Amino acid sequence: MAVMPVEWGKIREYAVATANDRAEYLDDPKAPIPPTFLATVVFWETLGDVFDLPEAVAAWADAGVDRDVRNLLSLEQEYLFHGELPRAGDVLTTSLRFDGVEEKNGRSGRMLLVRFAVEFRGDDDVLRAECRYTSAYLNTPEAVS
Amino acid sequence: MTDPRVGTRLPPRDFGPLTMTDIVRYQGASGDLNPMHHDDELARGAGYPASFGVGMLNAGYLATYCTAHFGTDSVRRFRTRFRKVVFRGAVVTARGVITRVFDEGGESRVEVELTLTDADGATVVEGTAEFVTRR
């Protein structure tokens, strides 16, 4: 769990880095966040901690593989917003959620899909947004994101 | 966007050519400092011809493409899947088509299918997203 202040300067920086020149991001001190802005949660939350949750430890053990996050290849990210977008000046509380391991048999053999999420809550513990991650667990280290 | 309809195609938009500056600026902004994106020697050691672009930067370009059409406070869902890496010099093209017009939570929304393709037409990132068009 971490407390993540949503900062205007960070929103400007992120908008510029993604070639976005909308005035709402650049000129409004109460700027809304860009759709993928919550990727910056890594400045506040250690995502790898999700694999230390008891349900994650149990799922890895069931799958019969070592819990080595270096073997994870990011396949998909999804951002969900429940109601109004977070804006500069808001303070979000984050928590990690482990969503499970799924075994798939593809052309290249057995593959494990690992799903986890970060939840972002506002005042009164209301769920405002989620980042959902889907990664493949590879047997050979190959870090791509 | 007024009167969105299923099948409406958004005009394509190019991003790039991708530079190392684009990559490191995004890495600094996002906090993803994976050296595979800026260390050529390391990437060659792993079998790549050079360090390569960041998947989430490409997703960010798709987000920029969408906010230009649907505004900055309308996103409800934004999902991207990473299909292919790109290297410096790449020009990528964003495209979108409206696949659903529906009401949810008292809002009118559209679902959009998104693709980012490279110069050969190969899909780099694909995605789906939902935006509010009227509340």
Side-chain angles (χ1 to χ4, degrees):
Chain A
M1 198 176 96
V3 174
M4 177 181 176
V6 180
E7 301 156 310
W8 181 31
K10 193 72 195 167
I11 290 172
R12 282 187 114 237
E13 180 188 11
Y14 195 88
V16 169
T18 51
N20 200 323
D21 60 1
R22 294 280 306 215
E24 294 93 329
Y25 299 132
L26 303 186
D27 299 338
D28 182 358
K30 290 283 289 174
I33 63 170
T36 61
F37 175 83
L38 292 176
T40 64
V41 69
V42 297
F43 285 103
W44 304 97
E45 178 74 87
T46 305
L47 298 188
D49 287 353
V50 73
F51 301 114
D52 295 330
L53 295 173
E55 55 271 34
V57 173
W60 289 97
D62 286 348
V65 293
D66 292 333
R67 214 158 32 99
D68 187 346
V69 294
R70 289 172 303 177
N71 282 356
L72 285 175
L73 170 74
S74 181
L75 294 181
E76 195 176 299
Q77 290 197 22
E78 181 175 25
Y79 298 84
L80 289 165
F81 301 97
H82 306 287
E84 293 299 315
L85 282 186
R87 308 183 81 89
D90 291 354
V91 177
L92 304 172
T93 302
T94 67
S95 52
L96 298 170
R97 188 181 81 210
F98 185 75
D99 287 340
V101 173
E102 182 189 354
E103 187 170 336
K104 291 219 164 182
N105 284 299
R107 276 171 299 179
S108 50
R110 178 180 184 241
M111 184 170 77
L112 292 177
L113 292 181
V114 180
R115 295 191 174 90
F116 62 96
V118 184
E119 298 177 340
F120 300 81
R121 287 186 164 74
D123 298 337
D124 303 326
D125 213 29
V126 174
L127 183 63
R128 297 192 61 189
E130 293 170 67
C131 294
R132 295 182 185 173
Y133 302 82
T134 303
S135 297
Y137 187 85
L138 306 174
N139 291 322
T140 52
E142 192 175 21
V144 180
S145 68
Chain B
M1 166 170 283
T2 54
D3 193 22
R5 289 173 193 206
V6 171
T8 299
R9 290 182 186 280
L10 310 181
R13 175 172 170 185
D14 288 347
F15 293 89
L18 183 69
T19 66
M20 183 65 99
T21 303
D22 297 328
I23 292 170
V24 297
R25 186 168 49 194
Y26 182 77
Q27 289 205 272
S30 70
D32 168 9
L33 294 175
N34 184 342
M36 294 293 278
H37 302 303
H38 56 253
D39 185 334
D40 282 335
E41 204 173 321
L42 181 79
R44 287 191 196 108
Y48 294 93
S51 61
F52 45 86
V54 187
M56 281 303 295
L57 173 55
N58 289 323
Y61 288 150
L62 281 179
T64 292
Y65 176 66
C66 287
T67 57
H69 290 286
F70 299 107
T72 54
D73 61 355
S74 59
V75 66
R76 289 292 178 266
R77 189 168 71 83
F78 195 87
R79 175 185 187 185
T80 51
R81 177 173 290 187
F82 311 114
R83 299 292 300 270
K84 188 175 186 285
V85 299
V86 294
F87 295 94
R88 294 192 294 279
V91 175
V92 289
T93 305
R95 290 184 178 82
V97 58
I98 293 176
T99 50
R100 195 158 66 104
V101 178
F102 63 106
D103 292 331
E104 190 170 317
E107 301 172 329
S108 297
R109 297 188 190 182
V110 291
E111 182 180 77
V112 189
E113 266 184 29
L114 299 163
T115 57
L116 195 73
T117 52
D118 65 13
D120 297 325
T123 300
V124 174
V125 176
E126 61 188 3
T128 58
E130 290 176 21
F131 294 89
V132 177
T133 53
R134 198 175 63 237
R135 40 191 119 199

